[in-house]
Amino acid sequence: ARGVRIRGAGAPFGARGARWPTPWAVSLGEHRRYTRGRDTKGDRSRCVLGRMSCNAVQNPNELVAVVDRDNNVIEGATRARMRAENLTHRCSYVMVFNDKGEMLVQRRVDFKETYPHFYDPAPGGVVGYGETYEANALREIDEEMGVKGDIRLVHHFDFSFKDALSSVWGRLFSCTFNGPLALQESEVESAEWMDVESVKDLLKTGKVCPDSAFAVKKHFGVKF
């Protein structure tokens, strides 16, 4: 498929001698590189030094499900407004395993609106207004990685997470899939199957999307 790319050249995530990127760190030079030529004013752009989010909001007019503190949907808001005001919204998260017990970890493209170029062990997406968690999860893993077919989602738990960039009520799922993968070039830079212990190491020391990291750590019982 056009745009398919499964992990380019270089040391694997867990290879001996390979360095994990420093969590959260971003230099002033990197900050300027991300913001160069961008309009960082208004609600179409996010620029937070130290959190690596300096990119325009993708699909800014998309309606998303905004929820209250108890995860009840209270309104639909544009994605741009949700990001600008950091409104609490719903997100799906899916741990994808193969028959070997390995876990699929993707790396986000460097122009994502939140956590660009971070690793994600539980990819999913922002739930649309009127959409269910389950429908969103199946749609997102199909669009982003080509995970489709007889996919059976296992619901593990719901959780609340908030930081300077995002405020979510998430739902963690898992499923089994053995490929082939088809990566969406507008969302995913690369992806790799990793054993669970390597994923745990990545969670402790790597540059991982913090919301996904929170959910996966809870699932595996990794200390925060």
Side-chain angles (χ1 to χ4, degrees), residues 139-170:
R139 176 172 63 81
E140 292 285 353
I141 60 176
D142 180 5
E143 291 176 355
E144 292 190 5
M145 299 175 296
V147 177
K148 58 185 176 180
D150 185 21
I151 302 299
R152 299 182 181 181
L153 294 176
V154 177
H155 173 206
H156 293 284
F157 54 80
D158 293 358
F159 65 95
S160 177
F161 174 88
K162 184 173 183 177
D163 68 3
L165 289 184
S166 189
S167 177
V168 304
W169 261 104

PDB file of all heavy atoms in Angstrom, residues 139-170:
ATOM      1  N   ARG A 139     -12.059   1.862  14.242  1.00  0.00           N
ATOM      2  CA  ARG A 139     -11.796   2.761  13.113  1.00  0.00           C
ATOM      3  C   ARG A 139     -10.352   3.244  13.129  1.00  0.00           C
ATOM      4  O   ARG A 139      -9.677   3.251  12.090  1.00  0.00           O
ATOM      5  CB  ARG A 139     -12.761   3.948  13.164  1.00  0.00           C
ATOM      6  CG  ARG A 139     -12.500   4.997  12.084  1.00  0.00           C
ATOM      7  CD  ARG A 139     -13.587   6.057  12.049  1.00  0.00           C
ATOM      8  NE  ARG A 139     -13.688   6.831  13.273  1.00  0.00           N
ATOM      9  CZ  ARG A 139     -12.895   7.859  13.577  1.00  0.00           C
ATOM     10  NH1 ARG A 139     -11.907   8.209  12.741  1.00  0.00           N
ATOM     11  NH2 ARG A 139     -13.069   8.534  14.709  1.00  0.00           N
ATOM     12  N   GLU A 140      -9.873   3.645  14.302  1.00  0.00           N
ATOM     13  CA  GLU A 140      -8.539   4.228  14.395  1.00  0.00           C
ATOM     14  C   GLU A 140      -7.432   3.213  14.097  1.00  0.00           C
ATOM     15  O   GLU A 140      -6.477   3.522  13.382  1.00  0.00           O
ATOM     16  CB  GLU A 140      -8.329   4.847  15.776  1.00  0.00           C
ATOM     17  CG  GLU A 140      -9.189   6.074  16.054  1.00  0.00           C
ATOM     18  CD  GLU A 140      -8.703   7.321  15.325  1.00  0.00           C
ATOM     19  OE1 GLU A 140      -7.611   7.266  14.703  1.00  0.00           O
ATOM     20  OE2 GLU A 140      -9.401   8.337  15.383  1.00  0.00           O
ATOM     21  N   ILE A 141      -7.519   2.017  14.649  1.00  0.00           N
ATOM     22  CA  ILE A 141      -6.447   1.041  14.405  1.00  0.00           C
ATOM     23  C   ILE A 141      -6.469   0.542  12.962  1.00  0.00           C
ATOM     24  O   ILE A 141      -5.420   0.150  12.420  1.00  0.00           O
ATOM     25  CB  ILE A 141      -6.490  -0.136  15.402  1.00  0.00           C
ATOM     26  CG1 ILE A 141      -7.812  -0.897  15.324  1.00  0.00           C
ATOM     27  CG2 ILE A 141      -6.215   0.368  16.816  1.00  0.00           C
ATOM     28  CD1 ILE A 141      -7.860  -2.132  16.225  1.00  0.00           C
ATOM     29  N   ASP A 142      -7.618   0.575  12.324  1.00  0.00           N
ATOM     30  CA  ASP A 142      -7.698   0.253  10.902  1.00  0.00           C
ATOM     31  C   ASP A 142      -7.055   1.362  10.080  1.00  0.00           C
ATOM     32  O   ASP A 142      -6.172   1.117   9.244  1.00  0.00           O
ATOM     33  CB  ASP A 142      -9.163   0.067  10.505  1.00  0.00           C
ATOM     34  CG  ASP A 142      -9.335  -0.278   9.023  1.00  0.00           C
ATOM     35  OD1 ASP A 142      -8.327  -0.469   8.316  1.00  0.00           O
ATOM     36  OD2 ASP A 142     -10.489  -0.348   8.568  1.00  0.00           O
ATOM     37  N   GLU A 143      -7.459   2.612  10.332  1.00  0.00           N
ATOM     38  CA  GLU A 143      -6.939   3.739   9.552  1.00  0.00           C
ATOM     39  C   GLU A 143      -5.435   3.927   9.741  1.00  0.00           C
ATOM     40  O   GLU A 143      -4.711   4.173   8.774  1.00  0.00           O
ATOM     41  CB  GLU A 143      -7.656   5.025   9.951  1.00  0.00           C
ATOM     42  CG  GLU A 143      -9.115   5.087   9.524  1.00  0.00           C
ATOM     43  CD  GLU A 143      -9.810   6.348  10.026  1.00  0.00           C
ATOM     44  OE1 GLU A 143      -9.196   7.124  10.783  1.00  0.00           O
ATOM     45  OE2 GLU A 143     -10.976   6.544   9.661  1.00  0.00           O
ATOM     46  N   GLU A 144      -4.960   3.818  10.974  1.00  0.00           N
ATOM     47  CA  GLU A 144      -3.565   4.137  11.265  1.00  0.00           C
ATOM     48  C   GLU A 144      -2.597   3.014  10.937  1.00  0.00           C
ATOM     49  O   GLU A 144      -1.463   3.265  10.537  1.00  0.00           O
ATOM     50  CB  GLU A 144      -3.403   4.526  12.735  1.00  0.00           C
ATOM     51  CG  GLU A 144      -4.065   5.843  13.101  1.00  0.00           C
ATOM     52  CD  GLU A 144      -3.679   6.316  14.491  1.00  0.00           C
ATOM     53  OE1 GLU A 144      -2.820   5.671  15.128  1.00  0.00           O
ATOM     54  OE2 GLU A 144      -4.239   7.326  14.928  1.00  0.00           O
ATOM     55  N   MET A 145      -3.036   1.751  11.115  1.00  0.00           N
ATOM     56  CA  MET A 145      -2.089   0.643  10.984  1.00  0.00           C
ATOM     57  C   MET A 145      -2.576  -0.520  10.154  1.00  0.00           C
ATOM     58  O   MET A 145      -1.870  -1.511   9.997  1.00  0.00           O
ATOM     59  CB  MET A 145      -1.698   0.154  12.388  1.00  0.00           C
ATOM     60  CG  MET A 145      -1.032   1.217  13.232  1.00  0.00           C
ATOM     61  SD  MET A 145      -0.711   0.676  14.925  1.00  0.00           S
ATOM     62  CE  MET A 145      -2.393   0.417  15.507  1.00  0.00           C
ATOM     63  N   GLY A 146      -3.806  -0.440   9.644  1.00  0.00           N
ATOM     64  CA  GLY A 146      -4.337  -1.535   8.849  1.00  0.00           C
ATOM     65  C   GLY A 146      -4.740  -2.736   9.674  1.00  0.00           C
ATOM     66  O   GLY A 146      -4.822  -3.856   9.155  1.00  0.00           O
ATOM     67  N   VAL A 147      -4.999  -2.518  10.967  1.00  0.00           N
ATOM     68  CA  VAL A 147      -5.453  -3.604  11.845  1.00  0.00           C
ATOM     69  C   VAL A 147      -6.950  -3.775  11.625  1.00  0.00           C
ATOM     70  O   VAL A 147      -7.755  -2.951  12.072  1.00  0.00           O
ATOM     71  CB  VAL A 147      -5.148  -3.286  13.324  1.00  0.00           C
ATOM     72  CG1 VAL A 147      -5.693  -4.384  14.232  1.00  0.00           C
ATOM     73  CG2 VAL A 147      -3.645  -3.112  13.530  1.00  0.00           C
ATOM     74  N   LYS A 148      -7.316  -4.822  10.915  1.00  0.00           N
ATOM     75  CA  LYS A 148      -8.713  -5.016  10.551  1.00  0.00           C
ATOM     76  C   LYS A 148      -8.980  -6.494  10.312  1.00  0.00           C
ATOM     77  O   LYS A 148      -8.081  -7.322  10.374  1.00  0.00           O
ATOM     78  CB  LYS A 148      -9.043  -4.203   9.299  1.00  0.00           C
ATOM     79  CG  LYS A 148      -8.194  -4.542   8.083  1.00  0.00           C
ATOM     80  CD  LYS A 148      -8.501  -3.605   6.930  1.00  0.00           C
ATOM     81  CE  LYS A 148      -7.575  -3.870   5.740  1.00  0.00           C
ATOM     82  NZ  LYS A 148      -7.888  -2.955   4.605  1.00  0.00           N
ATOM     83  N   GLY A 149     -10.231  -6.801  10.029  1.00  0.00           N
ATOM     84  CA  GLY A 149     -10.636  -8.189   9.853  1.00  0.00           C
ATOM     85  C   GLY A 149     -11.484  -8.617  11.032  1.00  0.00           C
ATOM     86  O   GLY A 149     -12.306  -7.849  11.539  1.00  0.00           O
ATOM     87  N   ASP A 150     -11.268  -9.837  11.497  1.00  0.00           N
ATOM     88  CA  ASP A 150     -12.036 -10.349  12.634  1.00  0.00           C
ATOM     89  C   ASP A 150     -11.368  -9.885  13.936  1.00  0.00           C
ATOM     90  O   ASP A 150     -10.762 -10.667  14.668  1.00  0.00           O
ATOM     91  CB  ASP A 150     -12.094 -11.877  12.570  1.00  0.00           C
ATOM     92  CG  ASP A 150     -12.988 -12.469  13.663  1.00  0.00           C
ATOM     93  OD1 ASP A 150     -13.852 -11.728  14.191  1.00  0.00           O
ATOM     94  OD2 ASP A 150     -12.807 -13.659  13.993  1.00  0.00           O
ATOM     95  N   ILE A 151     -11.500  -8.593  14.209  1.00  0.00           N
ATOM     96  CA  ILE A 151     -10.869  -8.001  15.394  1.00  0.00           C
ATOM     97  C   ILE A 151     -11.855  -8.006  16.549  1.00  0.00           C
ATOM     98  O   ILE A 151     -12.948  -7.453  16.443  1.00  0.00           O
ATOM     99  CB  ILE A 151     -10.401  -6.557  15.110  1.00  0.00           C
ATOM    100  CG1 ILE A 151      -9.426  -6.531  13.937  1.00  0.00           C
ATOM    101  CG2 ILE A 151      -9.778  -5.946  16.353  1.00  0.00           C
ATOM    102  CD1 ILE A 151      -8.156  -7.327  14.158  1.00  0.00           C
ATOM    103  N   ARG A 152     -11.455  -8.627  17.628  1.00  0.00           N
ATOM    104  CA  ARG A 152     -12.306  -8.685  18.822  1.00  0.00           C
ATOM    105  C   ARG A 152     -11.645  -7.863  19.931  1.00  0.00           C
ATOM    106  O   ARG A 152     -10.574  -8.236  20.431  1.00  0.00           O
ATOM    107  CB  ARG A 152     -12.514 -10.134  19.266  1.00  0.00           C
ATOM    108  CG  ARG A 152     -13.200 -10.980  18.199  1.00  0.00           C
ATOM    109  CD  ARG A 152     -13.453 -12.402  18.657  1.00  0.00           C
ATOM    110  NE  ARG A 152     -14.087 -13.187  17.615  1.00  0.00           N
ATOM    111  CZ  ARG A 152     -14.449 -14.468  17.740  1.00  0.00           C
ATOM    112  NH1 ARG A 152     -14.203 -15.099  18.904  1.00  0.00           N
ATOM    113  NH2 ARG A 152     -15.020 -15.092  16.740  1.00  0.00           N
ATOM    114  N   LEU A 153     -12.274  -6.785  20.289  1.00  0.00           N
ATOM    115  CA  LEU A 153     -11.737  -5.907  21.325  1.00  0.00           C
ATOM    116  C   LEU A 153     -12.073  -6.451  22.709  1.00  0.00           C
ATOM    117  O   LEU A 153     -13.206  -6.847  22.978  1.00  0.00           O
ATOM    118  CB  LEU A 153     -12.324  -4.509  21.190  1.00  0.00           C
ATOM    119  CG  LEU A 153     -11.960  -3.705  19.942  1.00  0.00           C
ATOM    120  CD1 LEU A 153     -12.730  -2.377  19.950  1.00  0.00           C
ATOM    121  CD2 LEU A 153     -10.461  -3.446  19.862  1.00  0.00           C
ATOM    122  N   VAL A 154     -11.073  -6.446  23.577  1.00  0.00           N
ATOM    123  CA  VAL A 154     -11.274  -6.781  24.995  1.00  0.00           C
ATOM    124  C   VAL A 154     -11.174  -5.481  25.775  1.00  0.00           C
ATOM    125  O   VAL A 154     -10.159  -4.781  25.703  1.00  0.00           O
ATOM    126  CB  VAL A 154     -10.221  -7.783  25.493  1.00  0.00           C
ATOM    127  CG1 VAL A 154     -10.405  -8.047  26.991  1.00  0.00           C
ATOM    128  CG2 VAL A 154     -10.289  -9.083  24.696  1.00  0.00           C
ATOM    129  N   HIS A 155     -12.237  -5.151  26.504  1.00  0.00           N
ATOM    130  CA  HIS A 155     -12.260  -3.925  27.313  1.00  0.00           C
ATOM    131  C   HIS A 155     -11.634  -4.222  28.667  1.00  0.00           C
ATOM    132  O   HIS A 155     -12.074  -5.113  29.393  1.00  0.00           O
ATOM    133  CB  HIS A 155     -13.708  -3.451  27.476  1.00  0.00           C
ATOM    134  CG  HIS A 155     -13.867  -2.299  28.420  1.00  0.00           C
ATOM    135  ND1 HIS A 155     -15.053  -2.066  29.105  1.00  0.00           N
ATOM    136  CD2 HIS A 155     -13.012  -1.327  28.808  1.00  0.00           C
ATOM    137  CE1 HIS A 155     -14.903  -0.990  29.860  1.00  0.00           C
ATOM    138  NE2 HIS A 155     -13.678  -0.527  29.701  1.00  0.00           N
ATOM    139  N   HIS A 156     -10.598  -3.436  29.028  1.00  0.00           N
ATOM    140  CA  HIS A 156      -9.913  -3.650  30.298  1.00  0.00           C
ATOM    141  C   HIS A 156     -10.414  -2.695  31.384  1.00  0.00           C
ATOM    142  O   HIS A 156     -10.851  -3.143  32.436  1.00  0.00           O
ATOM    143  CB  HIS A 156      -8.406  -3.508  30.099  1.00  0.00           C
ATOM    144  CG  HIS A 156      -7.837  -4.583  29.241  1.00  0.00           C
ATOM    145  ND1 HIS A 156      -7.616  -5.874  29.684  1.00  0.00           N
ATOM    146  CD2 HIS A 156      -7.467  -4.575  27.928  1.00  0.00           C
ATOM    147  CE1 HIS A 156      -7.139  -6.616  28.701  1.00  0.00           C
ATOM    148  NE2 HIS A 156      -7.032  -5.852  27.625  1.00  0.00           N
ATOM    149  N   PHE A 157     -10.334  -1.403  31.150  1.00  0.00           N
ATOM    150  CA  PHE A 157     -10.810  -0.448  32.153  1.00  0.00           C
ATOM    151  C   PHE A 157     -10.897   0.944  31.526  1.00  0.00           C
ATOM    152  O   PHE A 157     -10.319   1.206  30.470  1.00  0.00           O
ATOM    153  CB  PHE A 157      -9.890  -0.412  33.386  1.00  0.00           C
ATOM    154  CG  PHE A 157      -8.441  -0.166  33.075  1.00  0.00           C
ATOM    155  CD1 PHE A 157      -7.947   1.122  32.819  1.00  0.00           C
ATOM    156  CD2 PHE A 157      -7.530  -1.224  33.031  1.00  0.00           C
ATOM    157  CE1 PHE A 157      -6.617   1.350  32.537  1.00  0.00           C
ATOM    158  CE2 PHE A 157      -6.181  -1.007  32.744  1.00  0.00           C
ATOM    159  CZ  PHE A 157      -5.738   0.281  32.501  1.00  0.00           C
ATOM    160  N   ASP A 158     -11.634   1.822  32.210  1.00  0.00           N
ATOM    161  CA  ASP A 158     -11.674   3.237  31.866  1.00  0.00           C
ATOM    162  C   ASP A 158     -10.785   3.995  32.849  1.00  0.00           C
ATOM    163  O   ASP A 158     -10.591   3.561  33.992  1.00  0.00           O
ATOM    164  CB  ASP A 158     -13.104   3.780  31.953  1.00  0.00           C
ATOM    165  CG  ASP A 158     -14.016   3.187  30.888  1.00  0.00           C
ATOM    166  OD1 ASP A 158     -13.545   2.384  30.063  1.00  0.00           O
ATOM    167  OD2 ASP A 158     -15.219   3.511  30.891  1.00  0.00           O
ATOM    168  N   PHE A 159     -10.256   5.124  32.413  1.00  0.00           N
ATOM    169  CA  PHE A 159      -9.362   5.883  33.285  1.00  0.00           C
ATOM    170  C   PHE A 159      -9.416   7.357  32.921  1.00  0.00           C
ATOM    171  O   PHE A 159      -9.779   7.746  31.811  1.00  0.00           O
ATOM    172  CB  PHE A 159      -7.921   5.371  33.155  1.00  0.00           C
ATOM    173  CG  PHE A 159      -7.314   5.581  31.790  1.00  0.00           C
ATOM    174  CD1 PHE A 159      -6.524   6.690  31.519  1.00  0.00           C
ATOM    175  CD2 PHE A 159      -7.539   4.663  30.778  1.00  0.00           C
ATOM    176  CE1 PHE A 159      -5.966   6.884  30.261  1.00  0.00           C
ATOM    177  CE2 PHE A 159      -6.982   4.851  29.502  1.00  0.00           C
ATOM    178  CZ  PHE A 159      -6.197   5.968  29.257  1.00  0.00           C
ATOM    179  N   SER A 160      -9.035   8.180  33.895  1.00  0.00           N
ATOM    180  CA  SER A 160      -8.962   9.617  33.703  1.00  0.00           C
ATOM    181  C   SER A 160      -7.502  10.043  33.714  1.00  0.00           C
ATOM    182  O   SER A 160      -6.720   9.582  34.546  1.00  0.00           O
ATOM    183  CB  SER A 160      -9.728  10.332  34.822  1.00  0.00           C
ATOM    184  OG  SER A 160      -9.607  11.730  34.691  1.00  0.00           O
ATOM    185  N   PHE A 161      -7.140  10.918  32.781  1.00  0.00           N
ATOM    186  CA  PHE A 161      -5.764  11.406  32.692  1.00  0.00           C
ATOM    187  C   PHE A 161      -5.790  12.870  32.269  1.00  0.00           C
ATOM    188  O   PHE A 161      -6.576  13.264  31.399  1.00  0.00           O
ATOM    189  CB  PHE A 161      -4.961  10.598  31.664  1.00  0.00           C
ATOM    190  CG  PHE A 161      -3.572  11.142  31.423  1.00  0.00           C
ATOM    191  CD1 PHE A 161      -2.519  10.737  32.213  1.00  0.00           C
ATOM    192  CD2 PHE A 161      -3.346  12.077  30.420  1.00  0.00           C
ATOM    193  CE1 PHE A 161      -1.238  11.258  32.006  1.00  0.00           C
ATOM    194  CE2 PHE A 161      -2.079  12.594  30.205  1.00  0.00           C
ATOM    195  CZ  PHE A 161      -1.023  12.183  31.006  1.00  0.00           C
ATOM    196  N   LYS A 162      -4.910  13.679  32.884  1.00  0.00           N
ATOM    197  CA  LYS A 162      -4.825  15.077  32.499  1.00  0.00           C
ATOM    198  C   LYS A 162      -3.408  15.579  32.661  1.00  0.00           C
ATOM    199  O   LYS A 162      -2.727  15.275  33.640  1.00  0.00           O
ATOM    200  CB  LYS A 162      -5.772  15.941  33.341  1.00  0.00           C
ATOM    201  CG  LYS A 162      -5.797  17.414  32.915  1.00  0.00           C
ATOM    202  CD  LYS A 162      -6.866  18.203  33.655  1.00  0.00           C
ATOM    203  CE  LYS A 162      -6.923  19.650  33.156  1.00  0.00           C
ATOM    204  NZ  LYS A 162      -8.011  20.434  33.815  1.00  0.00           N
ATOM    205  N   ASP A 163      -2.931  16.343  31.668  1.00  0.00           N
ATOM    206  CA  ASP A 163      -1.686  17.079  31.792  1.00  0.00           C
ATOM    207  C   ASP A 163      -1.867  18.424  31.099  1.00  0.00           C
ATOM    208  O   ASP A 163      -3.001  18.833  30.821  1.00  0.00           O
ATOM    209  CB  ASP A 163      -0.497  16.273  31.244  1.00  0.00           C
ATOM    210  CG  ASP A 163      -0.542  16.076  29.737  1.00  0.00           C
ATOM    211  OD1 ASP A 163      -1.461  16.613  29.067  1.00  0.00           O
ATOM    212  OD2 ASP A 163       0.338  15.374  29.203  1.00  0.00           O
ATOM    213  N   ALA A 164      -0.776  19.117  30.829  1.00  0.00           N
ATOM    214  CA  ALA A 164      -0.867  20.459  30.249  1.00  0.00           C
ATOM    215  C   ALA A 164      -1.415  20.457  28.831  1.00  0.00           C
ATOM    216  O   ALA A 164      -1.886  21.483  28.342  1.00  0.00           O
ATOM    217  CB  ALA A 164       0.506  21.125  30.269  1.00  0.00           C
ATOM    218  N   LEU A 165      -1.363  19.306  28.163  1.00  0.00           N
ATOM    219  CA  LEU A 165      -1.797  19.223  26.772  1.00  0.00           C
ATOM    220  C   LEU A 165      -3.138  18.557  26.574  1.00  0.00           C
ATOM    221  O   LEU A 165      -3.841  18.850  25.609  1.00  0.00           O
ATOM    222  CB  LEU A 165      -0.763  18.442  25.949  1.00  0.00           C
ATOM    223  CG  LEU A 165       0.561  19.106  25.664  1.00  0.00           C
ATOM    224  CD1 LEU A 165       1.387  18.206  24.763  1.00  0.00           C
ATOM    225  CD2 LEU A 165       0.364  20.466  25.029  1.00  0.00           C
ATOM    226  N   SER A 166      -3.488  17.644  27.444  1.00  0.00           N
ATOM    227  CA  SER A 166      -4.656  16.814  27.189  1.00  0.00           C
ATOM    228  C   SER A 166      -5.381  16.443  28.471  1.00  0.00           C
ATOM    229  O   SER A 166      -4.757  16.222  29.511  1.00  0.00           O
ATOM    230  CB  SER A 166      -4.217  15.533  26.458  1.00  0.00           C
ATOM    231  OG  SER A 166      -5.319  14.803  26.000  1.00  0.00           O
ATOM    232  N   SER A 167      -6.698  16.388  28.378  1.00  0.00           N
ATOM    233  CA  SER A 167      -7.539  15.955  29.493  1.00  0.00           C
ATOM    234  C   SER A 167      -8.528  14.940  28.942  1.00  0.00           C
ATOM    235  O   SER A 167      -9.391  15.295  28.134  1.00  0.00           O
ATOM    236  CB  SER A 167      -8.274  17.154  30.102  1.00  0.00           C
ATOM    237  OG  SER A 167      -9.148  16.746  31.139  1.00  0.00           O
ATOM    238  N   VAL A 168      -8.372  13.674  29.335  1.00  0.00           N
ATOM    239  CA  VAL A 168      -9.162  12.615  28.706  1.00  0.00           C
ATOM    240  C   VAL A 168      -9.835  11.700  29.723  1.00  0.00           C
ATOM    241  O   VAL A 168      -9.366  11.529  30.850  1.00  0.00           O
ATOM    242  CB  VAL A 168      -8.283  11.734  27.780  1.00  0.00           C
ATOM    243  CG1 VAL A 168      -7.582  12.576  26.725  1.00  0.00           C
ATOM    244  CG2 VAL A 168      -7.272  10.915  28.549  1.00  0.00           C
ATOM    245  N   TRP A 169     -10.941  11.127  29.290  1.00  0.00           N
ATOM    246  CA  TRP A 169     -11.488   9.912  29.868  1.00  0.00           C
ATOM    247  C   TRP A 169     -11.214   8.837  28.825  1.00  0.00           C
ATOM    248  O   TRP A 169     -11.786   8.852  27.734  1.00  0.00           O
ATOM    249  CB  TRP A 169     -12.981  10.025  30.147  1.00  0.00           C
ATOM    250  CG  TRP A 169     -13.299  10.344  31.569  1.00  0.00           C
ATOM    251  CD1 TRP A 169     -13.696  11.537  32.093  1.00  0.00           C
ATOM    252  CD2 TRP A 169     -13.253   9.428  32.667  1.00  0.00           C
ATOM    253  NE1 TRP A 169     -13.884  11.446  33.454  1.00  0.00           N
ATOM    254  CE2 TRP A 169     -13.625  10.151  33.835  1.00  0.00           C
ATOM    255  CE3 TRP A 169     -12.927   8.072  32.796  1.00  0.00           C
ATOM    256  CZ2 TRP A 169     -13.673   9.560  35.100  1.00  0.00           C
ATOM    257  CZ3 TRP A 169     -12.979   7.487  34.056  1.00  0.00           C
ATOM    258  CH2 TRP A 169     -13.354   8.234  35.187  1.00  0.00           C
ATOM    259  N   GLY A 170     -10.280   7.949  29.147  1.00  0.00           N
ATOM    260  CA  GLY A 170      -9.868   6.931  28.194  1.00  0.00           C
ATOM    261  C   GLY A 170     -10.462   5.570  28.486  1.00  0.00           C
ATOM    262  O   GLY A 170     -10.875   5.285  29.610  1.00  0.00           O
TER     263      GLY A 170
END
